[in-house]
Every structure is written in structure tokens, then in C-alpha cells.
Amino acid sequence: MLMNSNEYIEIIETIKGEIRGAQYKAALSANRELIMLYYHIGTVINEHKTWGSKFIENLATDIRISFPNVKGYSVRNLKYMAKFSETYPDEEFVQTVSAQIPWSHNTAILDKVKDTEQRVWYIKKTAENGWSHNVLIHQIESGLYERQALAEKISNFENRLASPQSELAMQTMKDPYIFDFIPFSENMVERDIENALVKDITKLLLELGTGFAFLGNQYHLNVGGDDFYIDLLFYNLNLRCYVVIELKTGEFKPEYAGQLNFYLSAVDGIIKHPEDNPSIGLLLCKSKNDLVAEYALKDMSKPIGVSEYKITSSLPENLSKQLPSIEDIQKRIKK
């Protein structure tokens, strides 16, 4: 019997998928075991705090003698284990949440995030998005929690989108967006910013968040013989919809929402497939009056969000000090 090439390809792809799945589960299981081991060691260390710091030094030495080829039991790491155990007294939480991310990610969160709720948020986001160690640090230093979880976001998503897309769209939004990889100049116009964003599309996608696929800038639409050009067009795989982004170098104006509403109607009429969710618009301005933006969106027929964006030199001083330099970020992204 002759082998069907298409059927064979499907079988190979299925097997490869199962192998990858098994490898991921094995890696996750190994990581969970390691995290729980470190947690239990940390618990023992904390139970003998009265023995002083010499206890940890002796422990590190004895482990190194007994297991000369095993790394991860330095004095510094043993202290991290003790801090980890003390910070998360609920062992079930460690097993089901903290153990979903690598040890280096857990220690980074311990070092850089002081609030318990924020720590849990960053742990879960790391597991959801598969952030590398460097990306996680960048997200923390850019204040992602404050910009995404705490920010008072201006949109009409709740009234224009069905659940759960409306909730997911709100969770995806940030305010402000931080484009700290763009060299700033005083006389920048929209096209300058747009070109800089597209030039470093990897960093733009990192800032926008998970699920965004870039489709083009100055994306051409022909409506009734007239030409229109969308600043930035994306498709979000999680939201299952097109996302239209318009950039403005000044303060928000109500007419900007009307223009974006028109673009969304055109995208839904020309590009959108029946199985896609309604397209979403995001208007990024240098500044905005929240009340004016709320009134402007109130009677718009399409789902639109309005956020500010910041470029390095225009960041608030307290946030600017927390951020690594452009050179540091470029080095991290390249690693």
C-alpha cells in the first residue's frame, strides 16, 4: 500500500506536537521540583535563624563538598531560598503559582517588587506570556503593573464589545504606553514616531503586549475611490480582531475619535472576516483630558480606547529613574 504524503505530513506534525508537549511538561515538572526543593531548604534555614549567618555559610560549604558538580547552593542563593520561603508562607501557592516560573524569575521578583499583590501579578503574567528573565526585568522597571493593572483607562469597550472580549481588551490596554527605545527630538511629528516604532518593531510588540501581530504602517484603504492610510494596523491573536492604532503628537481632540471610528468602520467592512471579532481602535496621544476623552467616546459606535504615550525624555522623573538606559534595553533584547 502506497504511503499518502499528505497523511504522512499530518502524522509527523501530530507526533512532533506531542513530543514538544511532553518536553514542556517534563521541563515544567523539573522546574516545579527544583522550586519546591529550594522552598523547603529555605523553610529549614528560617527555622534555625537563631544559629546566625554562620549556619548558612557552613551549609553552603557542606553541600558543595557532598555535591561538587551541583550548582545553585551558594551562600547568596541559600539566602534567596530563605527569603523566598519567608515571603510565601503558603506552600500550596508556591506549588501552584510560583513554581510555574523559573527560579531566576522568582528571585528577580523578590528583589524588585515589594508589594505582595504586585508579586503575584508579575508571577502570573510571566507564566502566561513566557517572558524571559530580561523581559521580566524590563516590564517591572517600566512600571507595567501600574500602567496595566492600576491605570484608570479611558475606553468605551464595556459598552461596545461583548464579554469576555471587553474585559480582555481592557486588560490589554496600558496608560501610558512607554516608547523608551525611541530617540527623542523636540520637533518630532507623527510620521517620525511611527517610523521609529516600526524600525524597532520587536520592542513595539513587547510594549503592546502578547498576541499582537504587525500588519503594516500607513496601511492603505480605498473607500469609494478615496484613499486613506492607517498609522499602524495589527491583528491580536488573543482578542481575535484587528487593532487600529493612530498616533498624535499633541493633546487629545474629540475629532481624533471620529476619524478613528471611521477607520474602524472601513476595516470591518473591507478587511474583517465573519469569524473575526469587531475591530478595536487605540488612540495614542502625547496628553489627554480624561473627561474630554470620555465624552468623545460616549456616542462612538466603534470600540475605542485612548491612552497617553511617553518617550524617554518626557517620562516623569520618578519613573525615568527606574528605567534602564536605551543602550541597556537594546543589549537585553538582543540577548
Side-chain angles (χ1 to χ4, degrees):
M1 179 173 154
L2 292 175
M3 182 171 61
N4 184 302
S5 59
N6 290 334
E7 185 178 1
Y8 176 73
I9 291 171
E10 289 179 6
I11 291 171
I12 285 295
E13 290 303 316
T14 300
I15 292 174
K16 286 194 294 186
E18 290 182 359
I19 291 172
R20 291 190 193 100
Q23 288 175 331
Y24 174 75
K25 289 178 182 177
L28 189 61
S29 177
N31 180 71
R32 186 182 298 112
E33 291 297 322
L34 180 66
I35 298 296
M36 294 312 299
L37 172 62
Y38 284 176
Y39 181 77
H40 292 144
I41 291 173
T43 302
V44 172
I45 293 172
N46 290 332
E47 289 171 351
H48 297 83
K49 280 182 179 179
T50 55
W51 290 5
S53 59
K54 199 70 177 175
F55 167 54
I56 294 181
E57 294 174 12
N58 292 337
L59 186 61
T61 300
D62 288 334
I63 293 175
R64 186 171 62 251
I65 292 171
S66 299
F67 303 96
N69 297 320
V70 176
K71 297 181 179 180
Y73 298 94
S74 64
V75 170
R76 182 171 180 268
N77 213 33
L78 288 173
K79 288 181 178 178
Y80 267 128
M81 294 176 203
K83 183 178 180 181
F84 182 65
S85 175
E86 185 178 38
T87 302
Y88 306 112
D90 184 355
E91 183 172 341
E92 184 178 352
F93 170 83
V94 174
Q95 190 166 22
T96 57
V97 181
S98 297
Q100 302 301 308
I101 65 175
W103 177 245
S104 63
H105 293 56
N106 274 299
T107 58
I109 292 171
L110 281 177
D111 279 342
K112 294 183 172 293
V113 184
K114 305 306 177 188
D115 179 76
T116 301
E117 189 173 331
Q118 286 190 42
R119 281 175 171 158
V120 174
W121 190 85
Y122 278 112
I123 290 170
K124 290 181 176 179
K125 287 297 178 182
T126 299
E128 289 172 14
N129 300 318
W131 289 336
S132 69
H133 180 262
N134 288 333
V135 168
L136 169 62
I137 290 175
H138 174 67
Q139 300 288 31
I140 294 172
E141 291 178 343
S142 70
L144 183 64
Y145 176 79
E146 291 80 3
R147 297 185 294 118
Q148 192 166 21
L150 297 183
E152 293 290 335
K153 301 167 187 175
I154 306 299
S155 80
N156 61 0
F157 293 159
E158 187 176 348
N159 298 322
R160 296 293 179 268
L161 295 172
S163 181
Q165 193 191 16
S166 59
E167 290 87 349
L168 186 56
M170 283 296 290
Q171 292 170 15
T172 300
M173 269 187 74
K174 303 178 180 72
D175 193 11
Y177 286 81
I178 295 181
F179 304 139
D180 50 2
F181 51 88
I182 297 180
F184 177 80
S185 63
E186 290 290 341
N187 58 349
M188 292 183 87
V189 296
E190 280 95 347
R191 190 62 61 85
D192 295 329
I193 298 173
E194 179 188 319
N195 289 337
L197 291 175
V198 173
K199 183 179 180 182
D200 281 320
I201 192 66
T202 301
K203 297 167 197 170
L204 172 59
L205 291 173
L206 175 62
E207 175 60 10
L208 291 178
T210 185
F212 278 88
F214 178 60
L215 300 182
N217 65 306
Q218 290 302 301
Y219 193 93
H220 176 242
L221 291 175
N222 185 281
V223 181
D226 291 337
D227 294 320
F228 299 91
Y229 297 89
I230 293 171
D231 284 349
L232 297 163
L233 182 64
F234 297 85
Y235 190 88
N236 188 286
L237 299 171
N238 297 328
L239 293 167
R240 294 293 172 186
C241 71
Y242 289 95
V243 179
V244 176
I245 295 181
E246 285 291 299
L247 289 163
K248 302 297 178 183
T249 55
E251 187 174 11
F252 170 81
K253 295 180 181 178
E255 53 263 37
Y256 297 158
Q259 179 190 37
L260 184 52
N261 194 77
F262 166 76
Y263 286 160
L264 290 169
S265 294
V267 168
D268 282 345
I270 299 171
I271 306 175
K272 176 181 173 293
H273 294 284
E275 61 270 22
D276 293 328
N277 287 319
S279 301
I280 291 172
L282 184 57
L283 191 56
L284 299 183
C285 301
K286 198 69 178 293
S287 61
K288 70 181 188 305
N289 181 312
D290 288 354
L291 187 58
V292 171
E294 286 177 4
Y295 274 116
L297 298 185
K298 190 174 181 181
D299 293 321
M300 288 292 159
S301 61
K302 297 296 183 180
I304 297 173
V306 180
S307 290
E308 294 182 0
Y309 65 88
K310 305 291 183 186
I311 299 174
T312 307
S313 65
S314 62
L315 290 176
E317 185 177 353
N318 63 334
L319 184 56
S320 182
K321 288 179 179 177
Q322 297 175 24
L323 289 173
S325 66
I326 295 172
E327 292 76 14
D328 288 340
I329 293 171
Q330 288 174 339
K331 289 176 183 177
R332 287 177 182 176
I333 298 294
K334 289 177 181 177
K335 284 183 180 180

